[in-house]
Amino acid sequence: MTSMTSSGLALLGGTPVRGVDKTWPSWPVFDDTERQALLEVFDSGKWWYGERVKRFEGEFAAFQDAAYCVTATSGTTAGEVLLQAIGLEPGDEVIVPPYTFYATASMVVRKGGVPIFVDIDDSWCMDPNLIEAAITRRTKAIMPVHLGGRVCDMDRINAIAAKRGLLVLEDACHSWGGKWKGKGTGALGKAGIFSFQASKNINAAEGGAILSDDEELAELCRSITNCGRSKGGAWYSHPNLGTNARLTEFQGAILSAQIARLEMQTLTREKNAAILNKELAKIEGLTPQPGDSRMTRRAYHLYCLRIDPETFGVSRDKMIEAARAEGLPLISEGYAIPLYEQPSIKNAKDAPDYSKQECPVARDICTRSGIWIGHSALLGSEEDMRDIVAIFAKVKKHAEALKRA
């Protein structure tokens, strides 16, 4: 481990653990493979949805152990298309966690549904023990979110859904490469959605996908993304109410290049996260996001951990400020408020009275204890991981001085 400087915290004038000579892996990762693929599409003159997109759809379906992949312009769009395809009607309820990106709830609202929030547990994912109490006669689906790439307890969630006649739609927008008991995320329930936005572990600046093992559902999703056209139908025949949510050939080309690296990058992130899990857990007051033995591969979009400010000796926000000064810019507090407090969600038409909603675990992670480290840091070296540990250890060692300052 990099030795802690005796000069005190960098935030208070000391020497940082990592100087300007040390850099973190940049994102996105790309090389001449993407450049040549883009030039091939450019020179072909075939820029619209075609063979490049179809090729990637096959590659991604195989990578995630799914039968079908339908691409879309974003993960959000993919979610809205999927909700339309399952027949979400105005007033239908979809159970979602409160600790996730805005789109998980907004897509439900935009399609006329009502998000019903179920708190997370210590896994940072939806608490299965709370789901049944949230189910009503209006419940249509459960949408678990694999937060940071940590797969939800899909055994419990699927069992509850089967018992109550509900659909399970995975928000797998953090979970490319994740596996549960040997099967990839995205088709562990009825269907799942993914994002290829610029910050994601595989990206084409924007883009998304729907995965499913259900051929009929996949074909309906494809129809909706393609202006409502049907397979084999006339070009100007639109039997389904659709939109234009197609990827371009340029995005398909980039994504095929990106997915070729994804296996190795996923394994590298897992290896480096294992170092952090082991070493940070030794620091009193820190708790890494726990795993589950049923996850046979874990995709880390975020490295998540919780701080207990009283035990650690300083607040979460002061910890983050000090860590940045020590040379860890890829650290943040994550989502600031539970989703039910977002104005456009709580003030949506026909929304329930979310002022009575309380999800204590989500609130604690939002406001007091949650810390994220970006996934690109996990592509670094073992020495980089030791530096991260040294930074946390140094801040804890000097917590009293930091608190006084």
Side-chain angles (χ1 to χ4, degrees):
M1 183 187 300
T2 303
S3 61
M4 289 184 288
T5 175
S6 60
S7 58
L9 293 173
L11 191 63
L12 304 180
T15 303
V17 170
R18 286 176 70 95
V20 294
D21 58 316
K22 283 189 171 183
T23 59
W24 295 101
S26 61
W27 190 258
V29 174
F30 62 94
D31 60 22
D32 200 53
T33 309
E34 280 86 350
R35 185 176 295 106
Q36 290 304 314
L38 287 170
L39 286 172
E40 286 173 14
V41 172
F42 181 82
D43 290 339
S44 74
K46 299 175 182 178
W47 300 352
W48 183 69
Y49 176 88
E51 293 308 312
R52 285 285 191 167
V53 173
K54 292 175 184 176
R55 171 182 158 186
F56 171 70
E57 288 177 340
E59 291 167 340
F60 193 62
F63 191 79
Q64 294 295 136
D65 309 307
Y68 305 99
C69 172
V70 178
T71 50
T73 50
S74 70
T76 303
T77 305
E80 292 184 2
V81 167
L82 179 57
L83 289 171
Q84 178 182 338
I86 67 161
L88 190 76
E89 299 285 346
D92 284 350
E93 295 174 352
V94 179
I95 294 174
V96 300
Y99 191 80
T100 176
F101 181 59
Y102 169 72
T104 308
S106 71
M107 67 177 74
V108 176
V109 174
R110 281 174 49 81
K111 300 310 291 185
V114 178
I116 300 298
F117 294 97
V118 164
D119 201 5
I120 58 177
D121 58 22
D122 289 342
S123 72
W124 299 51
C125 298
M126 187 185 292
D127 186 343
N129 295 317
L130 304 178
I131 292 175
E132 290 209 71
I135 296 172
T136 73
R137 61 180 178 81
R138 295 184 298 274
T139 306
K140 180 80 172 182
I142 304 170
M143 186 176 286
V145 177
H146 305 311
L147 197 285
R150 202 284 191 188
V151 184
C152 301
D153 187 341
M154 294 303 296
D155 290 355
R156 291 278 308 282
I157 292 170
N158 279 331
I160 293 167
K163 174 183 173 184
R164 303 298 292 268
L166 304 175
L167 300 175
V168 175
L169 311 175
E170 296 168 77
D171 183 334
C173 288
H174 286 183
S175 189
W176 328 254
K179 288 182 182 286
W180 181 260
K181 297 166 75 171
K183 182 171 172 62
T185 53
L188 297 171
K190 184 69 170 178
I193 60 170
F194 290 81
S195 171
F196 308 128
Q197 182 265 347
S199 70
K200 301 303 195 288
N201 296 30
I202 168 174
N203 89 83
E206 292 290 356
I210 301 159
L211 294 189
S212 182
D213 288 337
D214 185 318
E215 182 178 12
E216 184 178 356
L217 178 62
E219 282 302 321
L220 181 53
C221 288
R222 189 174 301 285
S223 173
I224 295 169
T225 66
N226 192 24
C227 304
R229 298 181 175 97
S230 61
K231 185 177 182 180
W235 186 249
Y236 288 114
S237 175
H238 308 270
N240 297 306
L241 184 63
T243 187
N244 181 353
R246 301 180 298 254
L247 281 189
T248 68
E249 289 288 88
F250 293 106
Q251 290 166 296
I254 290 175
L255 288 167
S256 281
Q258 291 271 301
I259 199 172
R261 300 187 191 90
L262 187 54
E263 176 89 14
M264 186 57 67
Q265 288 174 339
T266 301
L267 295 176
T268 298
R269 292 187 183 101
E270 274 195 307
K271 179 189 71 174
N272 282 329
I275 296 172
L276 297 183
N277 288 340
K278 179 181 178 182
E279 299 302 328
L280 291 177
K282 297 175 182 177
I283 299 176
E284 194 176 13
L286 295 181
T287 305
Q289 183 185 22
D292 188 305
S293 61
R294 293 168 291 180
M295 278 192 297
T296 43
R297 188 168 65 191
R298 182 170 176 177
Y300 280 90
H301 176 56
L302 301 167
Y303 183 84
C304 301
L305 71 158
R306 295 176 76 177
I307 181 172
D308 177 5
E310 288 72 31
T311 304
F312 190 83
V314 71
S315 73
R316 185 265 308 270
D317 293 349
K318 277 293 184 184
M319 167 68 231
I320 290 173
E321 184 183 10
R324 287 173 179 160
E326 295 295 336
L328 182 58
L330 302 170
I331 187 171
S332 74
E333 68 280 0
Y335 305 125
I337 57 174
L339 269 186
Y340 51 80
E341 293 184 355
Q342 291 288 352
S344 58
I345 302 299
K346 69 179 182 180
N347 298 326
K349 182 182 177 182
D350 300 325
D353 183 3
Y354 290 128
S355 68
K356 298 176 181 178
Q357 176 89 50
E358 190 47 63
C359 295
V361 181
R363 178 170 298 283
D364 182 80
I365 290 177
C366 284
T367 62
R368 174 180 175 272
S369 67
I371 295 176
W372 293 358
I373 298 174
H375 69 89
S376 61
L378 297 179
L379 295 178
S381 64
E382 182 174 339
E383 182 182 355
D384 290 331
M385 300 307 106
R386 302 296 176 186
D387 280 348
I388 291 173
V389 175
I391 287 168
F392 278 93
K394 182 180 177 185
V395 176
K396 179 169 177 60
K397 178 181 178 181
H398 296 280
E400 191 60 39
L402 182 59
K403 193 159 54 176
R404 287 198 304 269

